[in-house]
Amino acid sequence: AQKVTQAQTEISVVEKEDVTLDCVYETRDTTYYLFWYKQPPSGELVFLIRRNSFDEQNEISGRYSWNFQKSTSSFNFTITASQVVDSAVYFCALSEAISNFGNEKLTFGTGTRLTIIP
Amino acid sequence: DAGVTQSPTHLIKTRGQHVTLRCSPISGHKSVSWYQQVLGQGPQFIFQYYEKEERGRGNFPDRFSARQFPNYSSELNVNALLLGDSALYLCASSLDLRSYTFGSGTRLTVV
């Protein structure tokens, strides 16, 4: 069965510090997608990134960067120069096929609550 | 463009009652998925519908059911509510079965 582990339950850092959120996953699939979502207090899950299992290149988007290492089954997320607006719960998720038609579900980790202290 | 819309935003029900939650996907999206998020946990998959057919079901009791209408909107029904059904119910729509856009959810409280 698929599993996503986010060992860090809560992290607090002072504004402008860098912070890394860890994600470790388990799957027997050879093709899968990994995701990161941000959940502000409003509850909506905001999509941040989707990464194909065949693409191990690191990705950078502004202050956000992601490090995908298949050898360690990890997909870590780093925020550089954190800001108060980054405060939220962050979820890592893994796709899993649920039909022969290409349908997939997401298996989420338990989330990491990030608090940026002004 | 409107995102995924869910209604109602908040709901309080009594144990044993029935509830219907509604979701309108992004225009053009034919897939709708439902997730349950209990406080302090990650979302758990309940159902996925595509072109009005059920394509996947998570590990939830038969009290949970759903359907998708010709306009691709969807309803999630929960019968015989239990206190443990209190959660944020999230709907996600997808165009390509690879990217998922979530709504803001319906927060259900069972008392």
Side-chain angles (χ1 to χ4, degrees), chain B residues 17-20 63-65 76-81 85 89:
Chain B
Q17 284 189 317
H18 162 270
V19 68
T20 297
R63 299 184 296 107
F64 288 76
S65 64
L76 174 69
N77 295 283
V78 186
N79 292 323
L81 285 166
D85 295 331
Y89 288 84

Side-chain angles (χ1 to χ4, degrees), chain A residues 9-80:
Chain A
T9 305
E10 295 191 29
I11 300 176
S12 295
V13 299
V14 177
E15 194 173 21
K16 298 183 182 176
E17 288 185 349
D18 299 347
V19 58
T20 296
L21 308 183
D22 298 332
C23 173
V24 174
Y25 63 93
E26 296 176 28
T27 181
R28 283 181 285 190
D29 292 346
T30 54
T31 302
Y32 51 89
Y33 288 86
L34 291 161
F35 299 77
W36 275 94
Y37 282 89
K38 174 182 180 179
Q39 188 174 46
S42 62
E44 181 177 356
L45 284 170
V46 178
F47 170 82
L48 296 178
I49 190 172
R50 180 189 70 198
R51 174 50 53 88
N52 184 304
S53 56
F54 292 108
D55 181 4
E56 288 195 67
Q57 280 194 333
N58 291 334
E59 180 156 341
I60 297 175
S61 176
R63 296 184 296 106
Y64 297 169
S65 62
W66 290 269
N67 180 270
F68 176 32
Q69 293 200 344
K70 218 168 179 178
S71 60
T72 56
S73 297
S74 66
F75 186 44
N76 296 336
F77 172 35
T78 297
I79 302 175
T80 303

Side-chain angles (χ1 to χ4, degrees), chain B residues 18-75:
Chain B
H18 162 270
V19 68
T20 297
L21 310 181
R22 296 178 174 83
C23 171
S24 292
I26 292 173
S27 178
H29 288 198
K30 298 180 180 180
S31 172
V32 168
S33 301
W34 288 95
Y35 288 79
Q36 180 197 63
Q37 186 179 13
V38 174
L39 193 64
Q41 299 294 318
Q44 297 285 321
F45 173 74
I46 311 175
F47 286 108
Q48 185 179 108
Y49 277 78
Y50 180 77
E51 286 281 17
K52 299 169 291 264
E53 291 187 2
E54 181 183 305
R55 289 291 177 88
R57 172 186 287 254
N59 188 23
F60 281 80
D62 292 342
R63 299 184 296 107
F64 288 76
S65 64
R67 55 180 175 168
Q68 187 177 33
F69 298 98
N71 66 353
Y72 304 111
S73 66
S74 178
E75 282 183 355

